[in-house]
Amino acid sequence: MIETAINCCELVSHMEDLPYSELVKCYETMSNTTRRTELTEALVSFYKKTPIKVLKKATYLNQGKLYPDYLGIEIGVGERLTERAISIASGLSVEAVRQLYRKLGDLGSAAQQALESKKQYSLYKETLTISKVYDTLDQIAKTSGEGSVDEKLNLLSGLLSNADPAEAKYIVRTAIGKLRLGIADYTVLDALAIAFAGEKEYREDLERAYNLSSDLGEVAEAIASGGLKAVRSIKITIGRPVRPMLAERLSSAKEIIEKIGGQCSAEYKYDGERMQIHKNDENVSIFSRRLEVITHNYPDAVKLVQSSIKADRAILECEAVAVDLQTGELLPFQQLMHRRRKYGVERAMEDIPVSLFFFDILMVDDKDYTIRPYTERRKKLQEIIEVGERVKVAPNIVTNHPEELERFMQQAIQDGCEGLVVKDLHSSYKAGARAFSWIKLKREYRSELTDTIDLAIVGAFHGRGRRTGVYGAFLLAAYDSEDDTFKTTSKVGTGFSDDDLKTITNELEQYKLPHRSPRVLSEMEADVWFQPALVIEVIASEITLSPIHTAGRGRIRQDSGLALRFPKFTGNIRRDKAAEDATTVNELVEMYNSQLKKVEASPEELQR
Ligand code: ATP
């Protein structure tokens, strides 16, 4: 009791802390509005009364987090444990709490109602402050090992016992990672600019600091304590990811050259995983496009960086692409995603090694390169990369001719890339921005493939999530009249309604086989195999070369078959067709060749 009394006295010297209920008021206003301006206003008035000391904590809490994303620290409280904590704090049984949860569909609201039904409030309830809530959640996040479940339960139930019902709602949502207020980072930046710099126009400075640091809490603290000067002094730092520059898209080479205003640099656009690599002597960290730490998934990439970057300290960007061990060919993006699993990294690394294709440099030996023009960055990149079998700089050409650009794109596609990223020679690295300084040119924007294709279902994959109980995707094959076989060209899972999936799953039942039909040539393993019988109609953005599909294998390139890119079911089950009436392998080969001809079209055609 004495301790509680002291806590109450300590409390609201407002210079140090702020009652958590103030944050809850702001949350309530934000959840009840549909207008963005009101969202900003609620944040502005909240920030104005928040003491500097807790501004950082409040900013993370607003995002439903405790730290910036890139640190990957989750509060990590499960729903079961939270139900028990609510039960202890409210006096209701766990079953009663669970029933409330079932009825309301949200554990936060269940906590609120549970506490509202509480008969007696303790006399010496501690007033929760932002620090108290934050620090307790932080302790929960850091508790691990033996006895940690009990410890977490104590901490959370203690917090809820001191909360009023509305506070409990938001504490619970934050603890289980479902705060979801839907405030974009940019709304927070607007609010900070208005609250502390007086004008929204200073948002640009805040945005730049955020894009370089990826840490909203730090930006908030800087503007509140040191004003714009402090914000402007936030610099690019090794170990802290920079928000990536993104590309706009246009559908023709001519438009791109006009937009960029003449000469530009076109680079191969690889289809892999974007990596932002931070090298600090031998220490290497890798961040994904979404700025998560992915270093542990790529020990081979770490070694490649250690041996081929000739700078002690640097931040670079590359695309990591899976390569076929046997053929050296680039593999599709999906292959790389297998490597994201937590276990078996060593094995994945052996089976699916990566090559790194570098395309930008953001910092070298503590010099900020983001402010330098593309040409200078590219020159530096080439200087510090020791090119090897698995480390390259993305090939480029500098041109102002649409035809040359188109030819280069065709070459890129033949080399297993998606197309090109065309870059403004004079542009700086615009962290966090999608701008026309980078423009992507991909084949599918030209919608080459307008014809539908009819393919036989030869295999299926069990559905997950909403699709549990039916098949979620199908393996499709074209018919090869030359040897009366069905050769795979696509795995399709999009375009199906729930009803379609039920119908197709039922219809396929009669064609089920205990193993692959001998008339089906496939290198992909399906969960279930069928007699080729049911034909469905699909559309796709284009036909590409593929190391995994067997249709047309060796016809265009040795060891490559033909695959549909972005295939989609049209809704049409071709019951009027027998499996042997499906689109043939020869037709696919023709379609592939006619696509190439279109890319090689005359300059007049290109200008259309
Ligand atoms: P997409 O799905 O088309 O890859 P995206 O939304 O992931 O698009 P964009 O910014 O639109 O990203 O396109 C650029 C992406 O292309 C980068 O994120 C990067 O992963 C990839 N890429 C591959 N090669 C290059 C290159 N040479 N220069 C820049 N980006 C490249």
Side-chain angles (χ1 to χ4, degrees):
M1 209 152 58
I2 293 170
E3 198 191 324
T4 318
I6 292 171
N7 274 333
C8 285
C9 298
E10 263 180 7
L11 227 187
V12 198
S13 144
H14 275 213
M15 305 309 289
E16 297 285 305
D17 212 334
L18 191 72
Y20 183 65
S21 57
E22 291 291 339
L23 191 55
V24 168
K25 262 190 240 160
C26 176
Y27 288 167
E28 291 284 335
T29 317
M30 290 196 288
S31 358
N32 291 328
T33 182
T34 49
R35 296 184 40 215
R36 191 180 174 279
T37 47
E38 282 176 14
L39 213 63
T40 318
E41 279 159 22
L43 272 174
V44 171
S45 68
F46 168 73
Y47 273 130
K48 280 188 172 162
K49 56 187 157 198
T50 306
I52 290 176
K53 262 201 145 169
V54 291
L55 208 88
K56 205 171 186 176
K57 292 178 179 175
T59 302
Y60 296 136
L61 283 177
N62 274 336
Q63 306 296 107
K65 298 167 195 159
L66 298 175
Y67 294 96
D69 271 347
Y70 68 84
L71 292 178
I73 300 173
E74 309 249 331
I75 306 176
V77 183
E79 294 193 346
R80 292 278 167 266
L81 188 136
T82 309
E83 286 168 353
R84 284 165 63 199
I86 299 169
S87 156
I88 296 170
S90 65
L92 293 186
S93 69
V94 174
E95 189 43 43
V97 173
R98 203 164 289 164
Q99 262 178 19
L100 277 176
Y101 178 24
R102 260 185 241 126
K103 189 175 107 198
L104 301 167
D106 161 41
L107 202 47
S109 306
Q112 184 174 23
Q113 283 208 6
L115 287 195
E116 274 163 2
S117 71
K118 193 170 165 181
K119 302 270 178 318
Q120 265 188 326
Y121 284 99
S122 51
L123 276 178
Y124 298 100
K125 221 159 61 106
E126 179 184 353
T127 307
L128 293 181
T129 62
I130 286 178
S131 289
K132 175 73 187 176
V133 172
Y134 180 96
D135 294 345
T136 311
L137 292 175
D138 193 28
Q139 257 179 293
I140 293 175
K142 287 178 179 155
T143 304
S144 63
E146 212 183 316
S148 63
V149 173
D150 288 341
E151 174 84 19
K152 284 178 196 233
L153 184 63
N154 275 339
L155 289 164
L156 187 59
S157 59
L159 203 53
L160 292 174
S161 301
N162 283 309
D164 69 24
E167 290 172 335
K169 172 163 85 179
Y170 292 105
I171 290 172
V172 163
R173 286 186 186 167
T174 310
I176 61 173
K178 288 188 177 159
L179 183 65
R180 300 203 188 121
L181 291 170
I183 8 174
D185 297 347
Y186 294 108
T187 312
V188 178
L189 291 173
D190 274 350
L192 289 170
I194 299 168
F196 300 110
E199 303 257 10
K200 204 164 139 181
E201 69 183 77
Y202 292 114
R203 196 191 92 176
E204 235 178 72
D205 294 277
L206 291 160
E207 206 175 308
R208 166 123 189 113
Y210 175 50
N211 287 332
L212 288 182
S213 67
S214 305
D215 188 342
L216 265 186
E218 176 168 353
V219 176
E221 197 172 66
I223 183 82
S225 59
L228 284 171
K229 194 165 165 238
V231 169
R232 287 177 190 140
S233 70
I234 293 180
K235 295 265 177 313
I236 183 168
T237 313
I238 286 195
R240 220 165 47 171
V242 175
R243 293 167 58 76
M245 177 166 179
L246 300 172
E248 278 288 353
R249 63 177 70 186
L250 284 174
S251 54
S252 80
K254 182 169 176 280
E255 277 175 282
I256 291 182
I257 286 181
E258 271 168 11
K259 186 85 190 174
I260 285 188
Q263 287 244 317
C264 54
S265 168
E267 296 179 359
Y268 273 17
K269 183 178 195 302
Y270 289 93
D271 187 15
E273 175 158 27
R274 185 172 187 158
M275 284 182 173
Q276 191 177 105
I277 293 178
H278 291 228
K279 178 179 186 287
N280 190 357
D281 291 321
E282 287 303 291
N283 289 331
V284 174
S285 310
I286 307 177
F287 297 97
S288 70
R289 178 177 190 268
R290 300 180 55 202
L291 310 183
E292 302 144 325
V293 179
I294 48 170
T295 319
H296 50 281
N297 285 319
Y298 291 102
D300 50 345
V302 170
K303 283 207 189 95
L304 290 174
V305 169
Q306 284 164 340
S307 61
S308 51
I309 307 295
K310 295 180 283 176
D312 294 335
R313 293 158 62 74
I315 301 178
L316 308 117
E317 280 192 321
C318 70
E319 192 84 354
V321 187
V323 276
D324 184 320
L325 264 185
Q326 312 308 322
T327 64
E329 274 196 35
L330 303 184
L331 292 173
F333 173 69
Q334 291 84 333
Q335 292 281 344
L336 204 57
M337 286 299 101
H338 294 314
R339 295 194 43 148
R340 282 287 210 109
R341 11 167 228 227
K342 282 203 175 140
Y343 303 98
V345 169
E346 291 298 324
R347 175 77 202 278
M349 199 169 80
E350 272 170 31
D351 290 354
I352 315 167
V354 288
S355 280
L356 307 182
F357 297 92
F358 284 88
F359 58 80
D360 220 319
I361 187 152
L362 281 60
M363 195 190 103
V364 187
D365 294 332
D366 300 316
K367 273 197 208 110
D368 181 354
Y369 267 76
T370 62
I371 48 179
R372 315 216 169 180
Y374 168 85
T375 38
E376 209 179 307
R377 298 203 308 280
R378 172 106 193 161
K379 189 162 164 263
K380 191 72 188 173
L381 187 67
Q382 282 167 327
E383 265 171 41
I384 71 159
I385 297 221
E386 199 162 306
V387 170
E389 200 192 336
R390 287 172 55 198
V391 174
K392 308 253 186 298
V393 176
N396 81 319
I397 55 165
V398 174
T399 181
N400 57 3
H401 294 293
E403 302 87 331
E404 209 178 335
L405 215 55
E406 287 280 356
R407 272 196 297 277
F408 195 54
M409 176 156 99
Q410 189 189 333
Q411 191 183 320
I413 286 166
Q414 277 179 1
D415 287 342
C417 293
E418 278 187 302
L420 303 174
V421 184
V422 186
K423 301 181 174 180
D424 181 342
L425 298 174
H426 312 289
S427 166
S428 60
Y429 184 93
K430 297 178 181 152
R434 192 181 284 284
F436 280 99
S437 313
W438 283 11
I439 307 175
K440 52 186 173 181
L441 182 62
K442 291 205 261 181
R443 278 279 289 288
E444 66 250 34
Y445 305 144
R446 299 166 53 95
S447 57
E448 317 281 357
L449 213 61
T450 43
D451 273 0
T452 56
I453 301 173
D454 300 322
L455 297 170
I457 300 183
V458 296
F461 304 84
H462 294 304
R464 297 191 182 160
R466 240 165 56 96
R467 293 186 171 181
T468 305
V470 293
Y471 299 126
F474 302 93
L475 184 60
L476 305 181
Y479 181 60
D480 196 338
S481 49
E482 311 225 353
D483 55 5
D484 187 37
T485 56
F486 290 86
K487 293 179 176 155
T488 70
T489 187
S490 186
K491 177 179 172 183
V492 65
T494 40
F496 299 93
S497 68
D498 293 353
D499 280 343
D500 288 333
L501 290 176
K502 270 190 216 141
T503 311
I504 296 176
T505 301
N506 287 340
E507 273 197 54
L508 282 173
E509 194 55 31
Q510 56 189 309
Y511 306 120
K512 224 174 182 177
L513 295 174
H515 48 72
R516 183 173 51 77
S517 155
R519 286 174 75 208
V520 170
L521 262 69
S522 173
E523 275 182 19
M524 219 182 235
E525 268 307 312
D527 293 339
V528 184
W529 293 104
F530 306 103
Q531 194 93 43
L534 201 62
V535 176
I536 61 171
E537 188 186 69
V538 293
I539 47 167
S541 59
E542 64 176 330
I543 298 174
T544 56
L545 292 176
S546 149
I548 37 173
H549 285 297
T550 50
R553 167 85 39 112
R555 297 274 294 270
I556 308 286
R557 191 196 291 168
Q558 211 190 353
D559 292 321
S560 283
L562 295 175
L564 303 188
R565 190 163 177 80
F566 300 131
K568 192 174 167 192
F569 176 51
T570 60
N572 211 356
I573 302 175
R574 299 297 304 260
R575 293 199 179 81
D576 56 330
K577 283 196 165 182
E580 288 75 10
D581 298 325
T583 300
T584 63
V585 168
N586 279 343
E587 281 175 293
L588 285 184
V589 171
E590 266 172 38
M591 285 164 112
Y592 179 83
N593 285 333
S594 76
Q595 266 178 194
L596 288 188
K597 279 191 207 110
K598 279 199 198 162
V599 177
E600 289 167 345
S602 65
E604 291 79 46
E605 245 186 289
L606 289 174
Q607 293 188 19
R608 251 192 282 134

